[in-house]
Every structure is written in structure tokens, then in C-alpha cells.
């Protein structure tokens, strides 16, 4: 190991004087004042030694699926192998395990001229092998500490397996339940996306990227991806300046300020310009206004896809557009490796642009400590000790139970007693050990999750009879179990209802029914947009049949998006939103069902009455004719409510909470001033419980029309029965500013409303003014 890297250290030292004297062109130097000067000197030293083919190579990222024995004999893999030997690859993705990564790194370290180590990347979205709740579900915890903790464990498992870089978190604000990738983000609110995204970045990256248990984070998708027209994936985005700056960009600005090591651009176009080729976004805003010095990677093939957009004539033209726009690394388009040198010779791109991109790649490699030891992440014992451990699974269970949202609990049906004589566990997802892992489950093993049926059996005593019936199959199998279903369409069962009779029989003889329905793991995720967000297949028929014979139904939802629950909410007394909760799903749900944990989750997305309300979000703007149910010529629907069935921020508990004595310490401030907001929150029930206290504001008149409410803060508190706590928030310049018609972030004078409560529909309100 030391022999392989020693020559490179000598080369760096010998070139140090040359670099310091020659690299004086400030246009190629990063602007951020917090850059590590020692690393910058090393980066410049390496850059000075590189030939143009090696520079371009650092901007190339390949996907490789070979084993530890090395690349296969296919033409594509042979091409990649030759490029690796020449040092013309900067990063690899989809190579996992210490053994495979070491063998791939060895190709570069033993054959290339400069021996610049590779960065190894993987889609670690909500866990590596220990799988946590899907990001949308985890966000429902509103607990930034456990979100950070789950990301840190995912990073530890990934790093122990040889990886250095994850393509997470996704911080796209998404308001349309039809979009499949809503499961991968933090929902519809910019503030919540920002703080959750920062928590995940801090979890992945820790305090030191060179630590053996941290990995580089990637804020994605820059930008507008969650606003695809009609909820269709990869689709066109039409937004103006106001929406872009005040809704879409704030989570990304927060990520940049938090030190996210990398950004990924998006598949979509924004008002006719593909995000991958969007200079204003990447060069002017991200790298310019925000002074961010990290690495921008394209999404898979998105540089080449600018041809399909009709924005580039060919792949060469696409490479020119992308580099000029500020896209540093080409993921699997093969455009940079084929055309950048020619484009440079034709003066269509500049050497300064190439050097800036290469410098960003090298900087990250130095920050990760790969130049000191290219094999630092390749330790089989660490891999064995840190992946899928009992300790990690215990945290996964804790995170999962805190992500569950109680939507309805009429007559206090939940929590169930563990002494019940009989419980029916019914539904196509009841004994499913795969769907709880969700989509984007990294190295989570097929059928490795704890099913709800298993969780219930683990929780109750021997005297409780558990009756199980699947009822219906959700889908018709199209491939062998365990095979990769990511790219395959699903075929839903709409004809075989033969199992419903058994489900009815089981329901009749049970005290209570846990009906487990919703979506399987492959109904949400990339490319999984749907026009029907209700219960597909024969699940509605199963619900109706069971309800006829047993009214004590607890609907246990497993899903990755907001669903149409209108009929279910109408007839079922109890609904528990359980998302796809990961490895410990069944045990975590049982913790809540039987009252070992009092649910505390709150919705990060609005649930509609029907799909026709989509896109649906709480922080909408008033029209000139706000909604009225008394007049037809006002904004709204004639066949459905305008508001959500279950609103943003909503979630019940096994206890109850009251809010009162909302106070502002002043009623008037200047733009640079601040106001302290306080409210008393009381547990009015008979159980201890957690409540998420939420702060909302409204700027009543602005140079751009402002939302009717905006989340600006929250705090999760624990209260014992009868206990009262005073919760305080500070409203300041940062809270009140927005991107105004002056094309700048500022606070405009005027009147503001402030609300505090348990969800976005709270009516407990005070007002204050900002004066000149």
C-alpha cells in the first residue's frame, strides 16, 4: 500500500514551488473564504502535473458491476478497464464491497501514470444494508436528531464497505403525489426540506470527511425536479423567478451553506433549459452567488439526454453546453471523455473551465483522505463489524416507530391490549417482508424486513390468537422473487378475489382487524409516477368485505406517497400511516399498535380527498377570489373540498394537547430586529406523549404574492399528563426575508400574522408589523 502511494507524494513535494509561483490566475481559484489552504496547495500541485487526457479523465464517472476478480470481457467493460489503467476515470459507482473496491482501486494505483485514486459512489438513500424508513416517512418524525443519526449509520456502513460518496439527500420540494420520487424527499415545504436536508448532510459527512466512517453527501436534484408537469418523472418544469427563488432553491442554499460536498443536477428542463445545461443555476447562482466550492455531478446520462430534449445537436454539443454551464462530472454519458479535448482545441470551452472542474474533483479526494491512502476505506474487518449490526437495527426500529403518523383513532381503538383474545392480520402487505424496505434500498436484502405479521406475533402473549389471511394479491408476479424489479413495470391483480372469503372468515372470529394495505415497494421511486393514487388492484374490495363483518378495523398503511384515503377514512375508525419503514418495520409498527410507543409523527405532505386536487400543498397563495362555498365564481372545486383530507403537519397521539396564551414580546420591529414568540402547550390526556409545536407566518402584502402560511420553525417536546411547557421561537430578519421583486433577499415592511399550533390548520394567531 505504502509503495503504491509514495511516488505520488514525492511528485507533489517536488512540484510545490512551481505550483505556488505559477497558479496566480484568480479566475480559476475558488472564492469561498473557508477553503483549506493546505489542501488547495496540494490540489494545485497535482493539477500542474496533469496532461489534458488525465484532467478530462477526472471528470468521467463510470458505473461498474464487476466482482472482485475484475471487469468482465464485455466490450464496454474492457473500454472502462483501459481507461482506468490510463488514469482517465475520476469516479466509479455501483461497485460495492471492500474486496471489489480494492481490486478496482488497484487497477488505477498500479497502472496509471499519476496514480490519482478513484472515488466510489453508490445510491445510499435511506440506509446501506440496515434500511431505515424512506426519506418521506423519516421526515414525518420531525426529529432532526434521529434523522442525522440514521444518515450517520448509513454512512458508517457504506464507508465500512469501501464507499466514499452517496447520492443523497434529495431535497426537491415536491407537491404532487402522482410523482413517484416524492418518497425520496422531505415533502412539500421548503423550510422542512432545508432543515431535514442539512441534518442528513451532517449525518453523512460528520465533522471530518477524512474520517473512516463518513462519506460525501450529494444535494439533489439541482433544480426544480419535484415540479415536473403533471407529476410525470423527468418532465418539463415551468416556474417563474418567484417560485424558483422562494420555493425551489432555499433547501439547496441551506445545503451549500452546510458544506454539502457535492450537488447533482436534474433531468428536467426549467422553462426550456435543461438543468444539466443551466448556466444561471450552476455557474451564476451555485458557484457564483453562493461561493460554493464543491463538485457538481450530472444525473445518470443527463448530459447526453440534452439531445433528446432538443437542446443539443449531438453528444459533442451536449458536452460543450454542460461544461460551460458548470456541470463538472459526467455520469455515464461518455460525452466528456469523447469530446472535451476537441472542444478545447476548437476554443468552444476553456482550459480554465476544465481546470476548475478538475480542481473540484481533486479537492474532494484530498478531503476524503484518498491521496494519503487510496485503500483507507478497504478493511474487511470493519466491513464485518459495522454492517447490519444489532446496534444499527435497534436504531432503525427507533427511527421507524417515530416516523409513524396516527391519522385517525375514533373511539380510542388504539392502542390495542396485548391481552386480546384474537387479532386478525389481513392484507396483501401483512406478511410482506420486502415492501417495507421501500424503493432505493441500496444493499438491503430481498425479504429481509420484519413483516407486520411477525411484529404482531413478537409483541403478544401466547394467549392471544393471531389469525392471518392475505385476502388478495396486490400484483401478479412477472419475474422470479428476489430479482431486480427496479426497471420492470408492475401488473396489478384485478381479477383474482378468491382469497377474500378467507379474509372475511378470519375477520368474523377476531376482536380486531389489522388491515395492511397500500403500495408495495415498487409503486414509488424513480419512474414510478401514477395517475391513480388510491388502493390499486382489489384492495378496495377487500376493505369493503372485511368492514361488513368487523367494524373494529385498524388500517395500517404502507406507502411511499400521499394516497387517496377518502373511502377508507369514511368507514374505518382508525388509520395508521406507516410508510415503508425499513428493516425493523413490523416490530416498530407493533410498538405503536400495542402502545409501547405513543405515536408522535406529523405529515410532511398534504393528503388529498382525491387525485384531482393534485398538486396539493398547504402553503398556496390566495387568488383574487379566495375559496367560498357560497358562490360558484370563487376559487375552488365544486365536487370536492379545496383543503386537504389530512393537512400538512397533522398527526394524532394517544393523548391530547392544548395550546394557549400565545404571546409576542413586541408588536413592532425594524427589518433587522427580532420578536420572541411564546406559547403554552399542555398535555390534556392521561398518557405521556410528544408533540411537534409548529410556527407559521404570513407576510400579508408583498412585492410578490406571498403564501397564506409558511412554516418557519418547530420544536418536538415531551409532556407528561397534565404537564404544561412554554415553547419559544425567535422571529428575525432571516425568518421574514424572501426573494423580492427587487431580485434580492430582503425583509419588506408591513404587517405579518404568526400562528403556533399542532398542524398547518392552526388558528391560534397574533400579528405584528415591520416598520422602516
Amino acid at each position: 500500500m505504502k509503495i503504491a502511494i509514495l511516488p505520488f507524494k514525492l511528485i507533489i513535494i517536488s512540484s510545490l514551488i512551481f505550483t505556488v509561483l505559477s497558479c496566480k490566475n484568480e479566475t480559476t481559484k475558488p472564492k469561498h473564504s473557508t477553503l483549506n489552504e493546505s489542501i488547495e496547495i496540494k490540489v494545485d500541485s497535482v493539477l500542474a502535473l496533469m496532461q489534458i487526457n488525465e484532467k478530462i479523465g477526472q471528470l468521467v464517472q463510470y458505473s461498474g458491476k464487476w466482482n472482485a476478480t475484475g471487469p468482465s470481457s464485455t466490450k464496454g467493460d474492457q473500454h472502462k478497464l483501459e481507461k482506468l489503467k490510463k488514469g482517465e476515470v475520476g469516479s466509479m459507482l455501483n461497485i460495492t464491497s471492500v474486496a471489489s473496491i480494492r481490486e478496482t482501486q488497484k487497477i488505477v494505483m498500479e497502472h496509471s501514470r499519476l496514480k490519482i485514486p478513484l472515488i466510489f459512489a453508490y445510491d445510499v438513500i435511506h440506509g446501506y444494508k440496515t434500511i431505515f424508513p424512506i426519506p418521506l416517512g423519516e421526515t414525518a418524525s420531525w426529529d432532526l436528531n434521529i434523522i442525522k443519526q440514521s444518515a450517520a449509520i448509513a454512512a458508517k456502513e457504506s464507508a465500512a464497505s469501501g464507499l466514499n460518496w452517496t447520492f443523497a439527500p434529495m431535497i426537491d420540494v415536491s407537491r404532487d403525489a402522482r410523482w413517484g420520487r416524492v418518497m425520496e424527499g422531505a415533502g412539500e415545504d421548503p423550510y422542512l426540506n432545508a432543515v431535514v436536508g442539512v441534518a442528513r448532510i451532517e449525518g453523512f459527512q460528520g465533522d471530518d470527511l477524512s474520517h473512516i466512517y463518513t462519506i460525501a453527501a450529494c444535494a439533489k436534484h439541482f433544480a426544480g425536479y419535484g415540479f415536473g408537469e403533471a407529476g410525470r418523472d423527468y418532465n418539463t418544469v415551468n416556474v417563474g423567478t418567484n417560485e424558483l427563488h422562494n420555493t425551489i432553491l432555499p433547501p439547496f442554499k441551506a445545503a451549500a451553506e452546510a458544506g454539502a460536498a457535492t450537488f447533482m443536477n436534474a433531468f428536467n428542463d426549467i422553462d426550456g433549459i435543461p438543468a444539466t445545461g443551466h448556466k444561471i443555476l450552476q455557474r451564476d447562482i451555485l458557484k457564483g452567488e453562493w461561493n460554493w466550492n464543491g463538485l457538481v455531478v450530472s444525473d445518470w446520462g443527463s448530459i447526453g439526454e440534452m439531445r433528446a430534449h432538443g437542446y443539443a445537436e449531438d453528444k459533442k454539443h451536449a458536452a460543450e453546453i454542460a461544461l460551460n454551464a458548470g456541470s463538472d462530472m459526467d455520469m455515464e454519458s461518455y460525452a466528456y471523455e469523447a469530446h472535451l479535448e476537441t472542444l478545447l482545441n476548437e476554443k468552444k470551452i476553456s482550459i480554465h473551465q476544465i481546470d476548475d472542474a478538475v480542481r473540484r474533483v481533486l479537492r474532494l479526494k484530498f478531503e476524503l483522505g484518498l491521496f494519503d491512502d487510496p485503500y483507507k476505506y478497504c478493511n474487511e474487518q470493519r466491513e464485518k463489524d459495522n454492517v447490519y449490526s444489532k446496534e444499527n437495527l435497534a436504531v432503525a426500529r427507533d427511527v421507524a416507530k417515530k416516523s409513524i403518523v396516527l391519522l385517525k383513532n375514533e373511539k380510542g381503538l388504539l392502542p390495542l391490549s396485548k391481552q386480546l383474545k384474537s387479532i386478525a392480520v389481513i392484507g396483501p402487505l401483512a406478511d410482506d417482508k420486502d415492501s417495507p424496505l421501500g424503493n432505493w434500498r441500496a444493499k438491503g436484502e430481498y425479504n429481509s424486513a420484519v413483516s407486520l405479521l411477525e411484529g404482531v406475533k413478537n409483541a403478544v402473549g401466547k394467549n392471544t390468537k393471531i389469525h392471518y389471511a392475505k385476502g388478495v394479491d396486490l400484483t401478479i408476479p412477472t419475474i422470479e422473487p428476489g430479482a431486480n424489479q427496479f426497471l420492470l413495470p408492475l401488473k396489478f391483480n384485478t381479477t383474482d378475489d378468491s382469497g377474500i372469503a378467507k379474509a372475511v372468515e378470519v375477520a368474523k372470529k377476531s376482536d380486531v382487524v389489522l388491515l395492511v394495505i397500500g403500495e408495495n415497494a415498487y409503486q414509488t421511486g424513480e419512474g414510478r409516477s401514477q395517475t391513480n393514487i388510491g388502493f390499486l388492484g382489489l384492495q378496495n374490495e377487500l376493505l369493503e368485505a372485511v368492514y361488513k363483518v368487523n367494524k373494529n378495523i385498524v388500517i395500517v398503511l404502507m406507502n411511499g406517497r400521499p394516497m387517496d384515503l377518502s373511502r377508507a377514512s369514511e368507514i374505518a375508525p382508525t388509520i395508521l400511516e406507516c410508510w415503508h419503514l425499513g428493516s425493523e418495520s413490523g416490530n416498530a409498527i407493533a410498538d405503536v399498535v400495542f402502545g409501547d410507543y405513543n405515536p408522535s409523527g406529523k405529515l410532511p405532505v398534504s393528503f388529498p380527498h382525491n387525485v384531482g386536487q393534485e398538486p396539493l400543498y398547504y402553503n398556496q397563495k390566495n387568488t383574487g377570489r379566495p375559496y367560498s362555498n357560497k358562490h360558484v365564481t370563487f376559487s375552488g372545486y365544486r365536487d370536492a373540498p379545496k383543503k386537504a383530507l389530512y393537512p400538512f403537519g397533522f398527526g394524532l397521539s394517544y393523548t391530547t394537547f392544548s395550546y394557549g396564551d400565545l404571546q409576542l414580546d413586541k408588536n413592532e420591529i425594524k427589518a433587522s430586529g427580532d420578536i420572541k414568540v411564546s406559547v403554552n402547550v399542555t398535555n390534556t390526556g392521561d398518557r405521556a406523549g410528544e408533540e411537534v409545536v409548529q410556527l407559521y407566518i404570513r407576510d400579508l402584502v408583498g412585492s410578490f404574492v406571498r403564501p397564506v402560511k409558511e412554516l418557519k420553525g418547530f420544536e418536538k417536546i415531551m409532556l407528561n399528563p397534565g404537564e404544561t411547557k412554554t415553547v419559544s421561537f425567535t422571529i428575525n430578519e432571516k425568518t421574514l426575508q424572501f426573494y423580492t421583486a427587487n431580485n434580492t433577499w430582503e425583509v419588506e415592511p408591513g404587517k405579518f400574522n404568526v400562528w403556533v399550533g399542532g398542524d398547518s390548520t392552526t388558528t391560534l394567531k397574533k400579528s405584528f408589523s415591520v416598520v422602516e
Side-chain angles (χ1 to χ4, degrees), residues 210-323:
S210 68
H211 193 279
I212 57 171
Y213 290 137
T214 62
I215 58 177
C218 184
K220 68 181 187 184
H221 304 83
F222 195 64
Y225 191 36
F227 275 61
E229 190 175 75
R232 294 193 295 270
D233 213 346
Y234 321 115
N235 206 16
T236 189
V237 171
N238 297 298
V239 294
T241 299
N242 179 17
E243 204 74 84
L244 177 66
H245 286 275
N246 287 307
T247 304
I248 293 172
L249 292 184
F252 290 100
K253 190 171 190 293
E257 291 172 346
T262 69
F263 269 51
M264 179 184 288
N265 53 42
F267 286 118
N268 56 278
D269 76 87
I270 299 179
D271 295 335
I273 302 176
T276 305
H278 209 297
K279 179 180 177 295
I280 293 175
L281 281 176
Q282 294 175 115
R283 285 217 184 272
D284 297 350
I285 295 176
L286 178 61
K287 295 179 177 181
E289 292 177 22
W290 297 352
N291 288 338
W292 180 76
N293 297 286
L295 163 66
V296 177
V297 63
S298 76
D299 209 334
W300 184 289
S302 66
I303 293 177
E305 288 177 13
M306 286 194 285
R307 295 174 298 169
H309 275 287
Y311 196 69
E313 296 175 359
D314 51 29
K315 196 173 282 190
K316 178 183 175 183
H317 189 203
E320 175 189 345
I321 293 170
L323 190 75

Side-chain angles (χ1 to χ4, degrees), residues 19 49 63 120 166 301 364 366 514 615 661 678 701:
T19 304
L49 300 172
S63 176
F120 291 89
T166 177
L364 179 56
F366 274 110
L514 299 179
D661 196 24
S678 62
V701 178

Side-chain angles (χ1 to χ4, degrees), residues 51 61 509:
Q51 299 170 355
Q61 184 179 63
K509 61 183 180 182

Side-chain angles (χ1 to χ4, degrees), residues 622-691:
N622 254 349
T623 69
R625 295 184 174 188
Y627 176 74
S628 169
N629 58 7
K630 298 179 181 179
H631 200 288
V632 297
T633 58
F634 283 75
S635 176
Y637 302 106
R638 305 274 51 102
D639 60 346
K642 185 177 181 180
K643 295 182 179 179
L645 176 64
Y646 294 109
F648 176 86
F650 176 80
L652 300 174
S653 168
Y654 293 153
T655 188
T656 53
F657 301 96
S658 68
Y659 288 75
D661 196 24
L662 178 62
Q663 297 289 334
L664 307 182
D665 71 339
K666 55 181 76 75
N667 296 319
E668 188 176 280
I669 58 170
K670 293 184 177 180
S672 59
D674 60 62
I675 287 181
K676 183 178 179 181
V677 181
S678 62
V679 67
N680 290 337
V681 185
T682 303
N683 183 340
T684 54
D686 57 5
R687 295 174 64 103
E690 295 168 284
E691 171 71 341

Side-chain angles (χ1 to χ4, degrees), residues 156-381:
K156 189 173 185 178
E157 290 195 355
S158 303
S161 300
L163 295 166
N164 328 117
W165 184 10
T166 177
F167 299 128
M170 189 188 92
I171 51 177
D172 296 301
V173 174
S174 50
R175 296 169 164 177
D176 199 325
R178 294 171 295 181
W179 190 47
R181 292 191 86 164
V182 67
M183 57 80 62
E184 201 178 334
E188 70 192 47
D189 182 75
Y191 177 83
L192 190 58
N193 267 277
V195 295
V196 169
V198 168
R200 289 185 173 130
I201 290 165
E202 291 175 345
F204 286 133
Q205 297 188 171
D207 298 324
D208 182 0
L209 262 184
S210 68
H211 193 279
I212 57 171
Y213 290 137
T214 62
I215 58 177
C218 184
K220 68 181 187 184
H221 304 83
F222 195 64
Y225 191 36
F227 275 61
E229 190 175 75
R232 294 193 295 270
D233 213 346
Y234 321 115
N235 206 16
T236 189
V237 171
N238 297 298
V239 294
T241 299
N242 179 17
E243 204 74 84
L244 177 66
H245 286 275
N246 287 307
T247 304
I248 293 172
L249 292 184
F252 290 100
K253 190 171 190 293
E257 291 172 346
T262 69
F263 269 51
M264 179 184 288
N265 53 42
F267 286 118
N268 56 278
D269 76 87
I270 299 179
D271 295 335
I273 302 176
T276 305
H278 209 297
K279 179 180 177 295
I280 293 175
L281 281 176
Q282 294 175 115
R283 285 217 184 272
D284 297 350
I285 295 176
L286 178 61
K287 295 179 177 181
E289 292 177 22
W290 297 352
N291 288 338
W292 180 76
N293 297 286
L295 163 66
V296 177
V297 63
S298 76
D299 209 334
W300 184 289
S302 66
I303 293 177
E305 288 177 13
M306 286 194 285
R307 295 174 298 169
H309 275 287
Y311 196 69
E313 296 175 359
D314 51 29
K315 196 173 282 190
K316 178 183 175 183
H317 189 203
E320 175 189 345
I321 293 170
L323 190 75
N324 280 323
S327 187
D328 300 313
M329 182 173 280
D330 178 359
M331 182 197 291
E332 277 289 317
S333 269
Y334 302 88
Y336 281 6
E337 70 173 26
H339 300 294
L340 286 192
E341 188 169 359
T342 301
L343 290 167
L344 179 64
N345 293 334
E346 293 174 352
K347 300 187 184 325
K348 292 182 177 178
I349 59 174
S350 73
I351 189 62
H352 297 307
Q353 289 172 331
I354 291 177
D355 284 353
D356 177 67
V358 175
R359 187 174 275 113
R360 292 168 185 271
V361 176
L362 297 177
R363 181 181 297 127
L364 179 56
K365 292 182 177 184
F366 274 110
E367 289 172 342
L368 289 165
L370 290 169
F371 277 105
D372 291 327
D373 182 359
Y375 305 101
K376 65 176 289 186
Y377 294 88
C378 297
N379 183 300
E380 280 87 350
Q381 191 59 47

Side-chain angles (χ1 to χ4, degrees), residues 696-713:
Y696 296 87
I697 68 163
R698 182 181 180 186
D699 185 347
L700 293 178
V701 178
S703 57
F704 284 136
V705 174
R706 308 298 295 131
V708 295
K709 275 182 184 175
E710 296 179 275
L711 179 70
K712 290 295 181 179

